[in-house]
Amino acid sequence: TRTPVNVTVTGAAGQIGYALLFRIASGHLLGADVPVKLRLLEIPQGMKAAEGTAMELDDCAFPLLKGIDIFDDPNKGFEGANVALLVGARPRTKGMERGDLLSANGGIFKPQGAAINAHAADDIKVLVVGNPANTNALIAQAAAPDVPAERFTAMTRLDHNRAISQLAAKTGAAVSDIKRLTIWGNHSATQYPDIFHAEIAGKNAAEVVSDEQWLADTFIPTVAKRGAAIIEARGASSAASAANAAIDHVHTWVNGTAAGDWTSMGIPSDGSYGVPEGIISSFPVTTKDGKYEIVQGLDINEFSRARIDASVAELVEERDAVRELGLI
Ligand code: NDP
């Protein structure tokens, strides 16, 4: 029998946590034959609610779930972690300056990075979901010098999935016929969903759409502002689709991309496509055997170049701000 994989989830008592934990425990994160142990990390005020969620997880009698432990100390929460999903973050509240937001999150992600450095398993893989996700991932990564930097990733898979869905709706294609879509840059309003290399049933997506105005004025803003549209419609944030994207991100990282396709992940830049080395930016990646590689050699047209550069400029500003605050 396989040794269970330790999965740490922070912000476990939150909305995304509630949509995420049951799917991890039922085998959707790693595979239907992989036993898991959950380690839930919360702040002290969240402990009781996390216990309630753990009671419900017990009540599902999931065959793959081999244990649940709940902590409010990151040093314990990340002990032996093979996979860490960093969901809990300090949301931006009204009137909050960006510097305040970044400092508040530095207070969360710096100690978590240090705890991962000291206590996680050697094969630790980290996904940051809590916003500002790319920069929170950078803070955690900088606090974990003994962990290979590439193990720290940020989620742009929800943007990726949203873009596929919008493209399918526009063209009448099945989502499963859409391949090689790319999200570039930051998980923020500046993100750039790129269809110039995407394929719809083997045909170039930009040629199938053949409508640059739709691309600029409808597609890109719809994908970028989808979160706000869901809050407006539901009266609550897009927790279930965010949880689904977190599952997809880790599942693809661990189990690989399909032949001829790729996915989007926020990862430490190696300088590819002119993105400054070290910042955590979204790229097209293929994955295999638990490792990812940036897809190389894509032609970037002027339309794409301007948008990638704008999103990357925002990431550079965020990096400079956290540097100034002494967080990295
Ligand atoms: P959610 O579970 O709804 O969201 C958690 C984080 O995910 C937020 O930063 C949110 O960003 C982000 N996020 C990313 N993508 C999405 C998306 N598509 N839709 C919605 N959110 C997205 O927040 P809750 O307030 O319900 O729960 C947070 C929990 O985290 C609480 O239980 C709190 O106690 C806990 N917490 C734990 C910490 C820890 O373990 N050390 C630290 C801080 C909090 P955005 O703000 O932009 O919506």
Side-chain angles (χ1 to χ4, degrees), residues 35-226:
V36 291
K37 278 190 175 170
L38 283 170
R39 303 179 76 79
L40 312 186
L41 185 65
E42 259 297 347
I43 50 180
Q45 309 87 286
M47 290 293 282
K48 187 148 186 262
E51 279 160 24
T53 305
M55 288 162 70
E56 282 199 80
L57 284 161
D58 285 338
D59 293 350
C60 295
F62 287 121
L64 291 172
L65 183 57
K66 302 302 179 190
I68 312 171
D69 291 293
I70 310 172
F71 306 94
D72 58 8
D73 174 355
N75 289 311
K76 298 205 176 89
F78 291 109
E79 204 173 294
N82 306 104
V83 176
L85 303 173
L86 310 191
V87 178
R90 174 74 160 79
R92 187 190 287 270
T93 41
K94 235 184 161 170
M96 198 177 196
E97 300 286 335
R98 188 179 65 171
D100 298 337
L101 179 73
L102 293 172
S103 327
N105 279 300
I108 296 167
F109 288 87
K110 202 174 170 180
Q112 288 186 355
I116 288 169
N117 196 57
H119 303 290
D122 287 344
D123 67 347
I124 180 71
K125 288 182 165 63
V126 182
L127 168 62
V128 178
V129 175
N131 282 317
N134 300 54
T135 297
N136 287 341
L138 180 65
I139 294 169
Q141 183 261 309
D146 303 329
V147 178
E150 71 266 17
R151 306 286 188 76
F152 285 83
T153 67
M155 188 167 90
T156 52
R157 186 62 173 266
L158 180 54
D159 310 306
H160 180 97
N161 289 344
R162 285 168 170 166
I164 288 177
S165 167
Q166 292 300 318
L167 193 54
K170 165 77 173 172
T171 59
V175 288
S176 51
D177 282 338
I178 299 179
K179 309 233 181 309
R180 300 187 171 201
L181 187 123
T182 306
I183 304 292
W184 297 92
N186 200 0
H187 169 67
S188 77
T190 67
Q191 64 172 275
Y192 172 50
D194 177 358
I195 71 164
F196 287 100
H197 305 282
E199 289 177 358
I200 303 179
K203 295 201 186 81
N204 180 273
E207 283 165 23
V208 173
V209 169
S210 187
D211 183 350
E212 201 160 290
Q213 196 178 350
W214 175 79
L215 210 57
D217 299 343
T218 304
F219 174 72
I220 296 171
T222 300
V223 173
K225 294 180 193 156
R226 186 73 167 173

Side-chain angles (χ1 to χ4, degrees), residues 180 182 184 194 197 262 273 284 295-301:
R180 300 187 171 201
T182 306
W184 297 92
D194 177 358
H197 305 282
W262 64 62
Y273 296 102
V295 176
Q296 296 294 343
L298 301 177
D299 277 331
I300 306 297
N301 64 20

